Amino acid sequence: MSHLEFDGHEIAPPPPGLATAVKVRGVSKSFGRGEQRVTALGQVNWDVYVGQLTMIIGPSGCGKTTLLSVIAGILNSDEGSVEIFGQDVTKMSDRRLTRFRAERIGFVFQQYNLLPALTAAENAAIPLVIAGWSKPKAVEKASHVLNSLGMGKKIRSLPRELSGGQQQRVAIARALVHDPSLLVCDEPTAALDVESGRTVMNLMRQAALRVDRAVVVVTHDNRVFDFGDRITRMDDGKIAEIRDNEHTHAVAASA
Ligand SMILES: Nc1ncnc2c1ncn2[C@@H]1O[C@H](COP(=O)(O)OP(=O)(O)O)[C@@H](O)[C@H]1O
Ligand SMILES: [Mg+2]
């Protein structure tokens, strides 16, 4: 682990040679009013780098999902700026942001949210169909992505015929099918057994091994901490610590 002291917190230096994918500056977000007001994010400065799997950890309620939602352009912050690959999403019109999200960002959540009547390939093809692809072309591309995730034999299966880990892999295929620059995942292994969780995290790591993509995974699942290249620990709406994980390659190689 390598550390720098910053404001009394430990912040690892930027990884040498890697470009910034997400740049968060002075971002705050509160919910509710008066006595009920909760500060979910308090003046957060944070960077995510390409070619890495960045993990956000910390206790329940510390602001992980809020930070992830802000960098994915799903939730507006109260103040501050969020640049994704050089574009400030906080300054975009709703229409432009919707398009930017559809083209550049992929999402994976704890609940797979697959449509029960569609096959694995049809589910994974949805973002392409929304983007205007013909259904056969979209399903063909989705089938390739499923194949690359080890799901080649399941492309015609319905969600109910798949295990939790397999359903999550379909959800990952759906998130990757349009080749996003930023993949964000909120607690993707929380509903999975240890083995499926490791498989999913290895696929996340593979997805991050590109010079034009960053992957951010929120988790409080300590079984998968080791899969992150860089680990951000949050506490009470703030970044409490950032450290580099020197064990990731060994973990990935042995999995
Ligand atoms: N939509 C919301 N309305 C009101 N409070 C919220 C909302 N979303 C999050 N919060 C509050 O903001 C804080 C941070 O929540 P969240 O980002 O979901 O934390 P985490 O993902 O780390 O568990 C918590 O106190 C939570 O109750
Ligand atoms: Mg959360």
Side-chain angles (χ1 to χ4, degrees):
M1 277 181 221
S2 44
H3 290 306
L4 285 181
E5 283 282 324
F6 175 75
D7 274 2
H9 304 309
E10 291 178 335
I11 305 284
L18 296 184
T20 308
V22 180
K23 197 182 272 196
V24 174
R25 291 295 177 269
V27 163
S28 297
K29 178 72 183 179
S30 298
F31 294 103
R33 294 181 178 279
E35 301 250 305
Q36 312 295 319
R37 196 167 170 84
V38 173
T39 301
L41 296 176
Q43 286 289 330
V44 170
N45 298 312
W46 189 56
D47 292 304
V48 174
Y49 299 92
V50 296
Q52 290 202 321
L53 195 162
T54 298
M55 213 167 251
I56 309 177
I57 66 173
S60 183
C62 71
K64 304 183 297 296
T65 293
T66 305
L67 181 59
L68 194 76
S69 304
V70 167
I71 67 165
I74 305 172
L75 184 70
N76 291 325
S77 60
D78 297 335
E79 55 174 343
S81 66
V82 179
E83 268 183 30
I84 301 176
F85 289 86
Q87 305 210 48
D88 190 342
V89 295
T90 54
K91 293 205 172 74
M92 288 181 189
S93 65
D94 284 350
R95 212 179 131 177
R96 174 119 192 275
L97 178 58
T98 301
R99 199 165 140 201
F100 183 82
R101 264 199 322 253
E103 289 174 359
R104 306 292 298 274
I105 302 178
F107 308 88
V108 177
F109 300 100
Q110 177 179 338
Q111 295 308 328
Y112 331 116
N113 296 325
L114 302 178
L115 296 178
L118 300 186
T119 66
E122 287 165 346
N123 265 289
I126 289 172
L128 297 179
V129 173
I130 290 173
W133 289 43
S134 73
K135 195 182 155 203
K137 279 217 150 95
V139 168
E140 190 188 338
K141 172 85 195 293
S143 301
H144 281 300
V145 177
L146 281 166
N147 200 29
S148 74
L149 299 177
M151 290 284 290
K153 293 203 172 102
K154 302 287 181 188
I155 56 175
R156 285 184 197 84
S157 301
L158 294 171
R160 66 178 143 78
E161 298 164 339
L162 301 173
S163 70
Q166 290 168 338
Q167 290 186 56
Q168 190 60 298
R169 278 191 270 171
V170 176
I172 294 169
R174 183 181 56 194
L176 287 175
V177 76
H178 61 304
D179 210 10
S181 314
L182 176 63
L183 177 66
V184 300
C185 318
D186 199 356
E187 309 273 4
T189 63
L192 302 179
D193 60 76
V194 177
E195 223 16 69
S196 305
R198 292 178 68 85
T199 302
V200 160
M201 290 309 300
N202 266 316
L203 295 171
M204 299 288 182
R205 285 191 51 75
Q206 269 177 39
L209 290 177
R210 285 175 38 158
V211 296
D212 55 354
R213 181 182 288 149
V215 178
V216 180
V217 176
V218 161
T219 188
H220 65 248
D221 182 354
N222 60 16
R223 302 170 305 180
V224 303
F225 286 175
D226 281 349
F227 286 86
D229 294 302
R230 201 168 162 88
I231 300 182
T232 298
R233 186 169 58 77
M234 291 186 71
D235 192 22
D236 202 15
K238 292 189 162 23
I239 307 294
E241 181 191 19
I242 296 177
R243 63 186 164 83
D244 288 329
N245 199 343
E246 282 156 17
H247 309 295
T248 48
H249 300 294
V251 169
S254 68

